[in-house]
């Protein structure tokens, strides 16, 4: 029997919700939240729902520009129907729909990278959780000149600007705009129990958002959602407020990258206790290259391999020249003779930032030297704080 893959109708949503609860171990009976901006798809056989997946319209910062991105989430297949290509059919349908909607890249948090690798996604980063000791933060000295106060609704524009500045300076963060973020980045930050704003004079220089957690004593821990700091003084002042919890709290669960902490703290930053890898796919490489920003001029020719390209209107193999001039990039046709061959998964790894072509050669994603691409894609390693 053939699979019918189509957007879910209103009448399918309860069944899809139940399938998601079963697949991900949610509490039975959890009421379905209305999520009008999730585009939900189902795979049916003989009218019976076998699997479902959602497409979320986001945009991600790359090279200082927002790139429209299709978030893929909630992929779930009935236990009896697994191993027969149901999720593959669903994700292919989502990919084709994303390109038709003008979304040239796609990101997802895979429960297993192998599920999406054959379809062209590759792991480019991870969203980590790290437990710090509050006592390590208590050692930070007070910072004169930085004023700290609770942030409120009136601080929305300042919070939004701080997020925009920090997120756009890196690769991978969501813009937190569009229908899935009705209140923008500010509303996202203000959802936390404690939101502290750091100011110098009247200028906002950073914020820290976290939940207190329950209980008190060494086992009790704060949950930090995010810290955005324009300066080291702002970072030190905000971190100091976490340290000041040391009478009642033993730890801090830190979400995301700890690279700045490693440079600010006098203690060794522990390894993450939880890691959630995320994968990227260039669904439409031409549009993705044109949409992102670039920091250096570059030129490099290669044969781009994408076995799944036909599903999104592309070719499985074509010779291209990446040309970056004055902050704009494009892919032009090239003569294939003698060119190194780059897999589209390798291009995703480079596109995300902070990786090298030498690594791609070591892992079979590139079959010859292509150092010009290192310069083109040099840039901050990717960071993505929003789990979906
Ligand atoms: C993971 C899951 C969605 C796979 O669905 P499926 O219909 O059995 O997958 P398919 O038969 O379409 O296989 C698609 C690819 O995934 C791979 N795959 C399937 N199950 C896998 C597993 N448990 N581990 C690693 N790879 C797996 C297949 O080998 C195939 O790879 P290929 O395209 O390179 O041949 C399904 O097992 C499931 O619902 N699991 C529980 C929820 C979950 O983990 N969802 C994924 C959220 S990111």
């Amino acid at each position: 029997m053939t699979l019918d893959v189509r957007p879910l109708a209103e009448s399918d949503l309860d069944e899809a919700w139940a399938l998601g609860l079963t697949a991900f171990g949610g509490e039975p009976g959890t009421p379905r939240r209305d999520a009008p901006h999730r585009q939900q798809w189902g795979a049916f056989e003989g009218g019976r729902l076998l699997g479902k997946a959602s497409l979320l319209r986001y945009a991600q910062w790359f090279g200082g520009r927002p790139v429209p991105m299709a978030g893929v989430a909630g992929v779930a297949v009935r236990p009896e129907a697994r191993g027969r290509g149901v999720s593959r059919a669903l994700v292919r349908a989502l990919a084709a729909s994303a390109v038709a909607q003008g979304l040239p890249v796609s990101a997802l948090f895979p429960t297993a990278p192998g599920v999406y690798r054959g379809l062209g996604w590759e792991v480019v980063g991870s969203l980590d959780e790290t437990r710090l000791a509050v006592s390590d933060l208590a050692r930070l000295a007070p910072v004169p000149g930085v004023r700290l106060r609770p942030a409120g609704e009136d601080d929305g524009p300042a919070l939004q600007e701080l997020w925009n500045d920090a997120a756009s300076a890196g690769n991978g963060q969501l813009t937190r705009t569009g229908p899935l973020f009705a209140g923008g980045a500010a509303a996202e930050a203000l959802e936390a129990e404690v939101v502290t704003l750091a100011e110098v004079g009247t200028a906002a220089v950073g914020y820290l958002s976290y939940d207190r957690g329950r209980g008190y004593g060494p086992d009790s821990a704060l949950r930090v959602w995010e810290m955005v700091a324009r300066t080291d003084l702002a970072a030190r002042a905000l971190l100091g407020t976490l340290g000041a919890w040391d009478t009642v709290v033993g730890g801090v669960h830190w979400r995301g990258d700890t690279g700045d902490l490693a440079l600010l703290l006098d203690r060794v930053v522990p390894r993450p206790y939880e890691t959630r890898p995320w994968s990227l796919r260039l669904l439409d490489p031409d549009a993705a290259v044109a949409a992102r920003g670039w920091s250096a001029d570059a030129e490099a020719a290669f044969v781009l391999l994408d076995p799944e390209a036909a599903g999104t209107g592309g070719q499985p193999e074509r010779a291209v020249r990446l040309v970056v001039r004055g902050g704009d990039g494009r892919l032009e046709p090239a003569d294939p003779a003698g060119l190194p061959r780059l897999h589209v998964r390798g291009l995703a790894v480079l596109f995300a930032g902070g990786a090298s072509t030498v690594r791609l050669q070591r892992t079979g994603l590139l079959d010859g030297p292509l150092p010009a691409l290192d310069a083109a894609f040099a840039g901050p390693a990717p960071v993505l704080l929003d789990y979906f």
Side-chain angles (χ1 to χ4, degrees):
M1 200 171 283
T2 52
L3 276 180
D4 171 26
V5 179
R6 59 161 171 83
L8 293 182
E10 180 63 35
S11 54
D12 302 316
L13 293 181
D14 282 337
E15 197 183 357
W17 176 249
L19 172 55
L21 286 183
T22 306
F24 297 107
E27 283 297 324
T30 308
R32 175 162 76 81
R33 279 180 305 143
D34 269 334
H37 303 297
R38 292 172 84 94
Q39 301 173 31
Q40 303 215 58
W41 288 67
F44 297 81
E45 194 178 58
R48 197 163 167 267
L49 180 73
L50 298 188
K52 60 105 192 171
S54 299
L55 189 157
L56 310 167
R57 285 184 71 106
Y58 290 130
Q60 242 178 335
W61 291 105
F62 287 106
R65 288 192 196 162
V67 178
M69 179 270 272
V72 173
V75 181
V77 174
R78 285 195 193 286
E80 308 79 15
R82 291 180 186 164
R84 292 171 38 200
V86 174
S87 80
R88 200 182 300 125
L90 272 165
V91 175
R92 278 183 179 146
L94 257 57
S97 170
V99 170
Q101 294 179 51
L103 305 169
V105 305
S106 172
L108 53 83
F109 286 89
T111 48
V115 177
Y116 304 98
R117 203 162 255 155
L119 297 171
W121 276 259
E122 192 45 85
V123 175
V124 298
S126 72
L127 173 53
D128 298 340
E129 297 276 348
T130 306
R131 193 180 197 278
L132 308 164
V134 166
S135 54
D136 292 346
L137 300 160
R139 289 159 184 274
L140 292 172
V143 181
V146 178
R147 193 167 72 101
L148 299 171
R149 66 171 176 85
E153 297 292 335
D154 291 350
D155 298 307
L159 295 171
Q160 182 74 48
E161 198 181 319
L162 285 164
W163 172 260
N164 287 351
D165 282 3
S168 63
N171 289 317
Q173 293 280 36
L174 297 191
T175 58
R176 295 185 176 170
T177 52
L180 285 156
F181 288 97
E188 198 68 11
L190 287 169
E191 268 186 25
E193 233 175 290
V194 182
V195 187
T196 301
L197 191 69
E199 292 172 313
V200 171
T202 55
V205 290
Y207 71 83
L208 171 69
S209 64
Y210 59 98
D211 289 346
R212 161 64 178 82
R214 300 281 74 88
Y216 69 94
D219 295 336
S220 178
L222 307 175
R223 166 158 293 282
V224 170
W225 295 112
E226 60 206 36
M227 184 179 82
V228 168
R230 279 207 176 122
T231 65
D232 66 315
L233 293 183
R236 284 174 199 280
L238 291 167
L239 290 172
T241 65
L242 296 179
W245 280 98
D246 65 342
T247 54
V248 284
V249 160
V252 173
H253 295 290
W254 185 270
R255 182 171 72 141
D257 184 51
T258 55
D260 289 2
L261 294 180
L263 296 176
L264 287 164
L265 302 182
D266 289 339
R267 299 291 187 91
V268 173
V269 175
R271 286 176 184 279
Y273 65 84
E274 188 180 299
T275 286
R276 286 174 163 160
W278 62 277
S279 302
L280 187 71
R281 162 84 159 120
L282 300 195
L283 297 167
D284 180 345
D286 300 74
V289 160
R292 66 166 290 151
W294 306 82
S295 53
D297 287 355
E299 206 167 310
F302 50 91
V303 174
L304 181 60
L305 306 176
D306 184 354
E308 281 286 318
T312 48
Q315 297 158 254
E317 188 170 327
R318 66 186 171 122
V320 292
R321 180 178 306 280
L322 170 71
V323 180
V324 183
R325 292 277 176 274
D328 291 318
R330 61 182 187 275
L331 290 179
E332 294 177 348
D335 176 356
L339 293 182
R341 295 156 73 82
L342 174 65
H343 197 284
V344 74
R345 291 192 287 118
L347 187 57
V349 173
L350 292 174
F351 191 94
S356 76
T357 53
V358 174
R359 169 170 290 171
L360 300 188
Q361 283 186 264
R362 280 202 305 264
T363 51
L365 294 171
L366 171 67
D367 71 357
L370 210 43
L373 284 188
D374 290 316
F377 290 108
V383 170
L384 175 53
L385 265 191
D386 295 286
Y387 185 80
F388 51 86

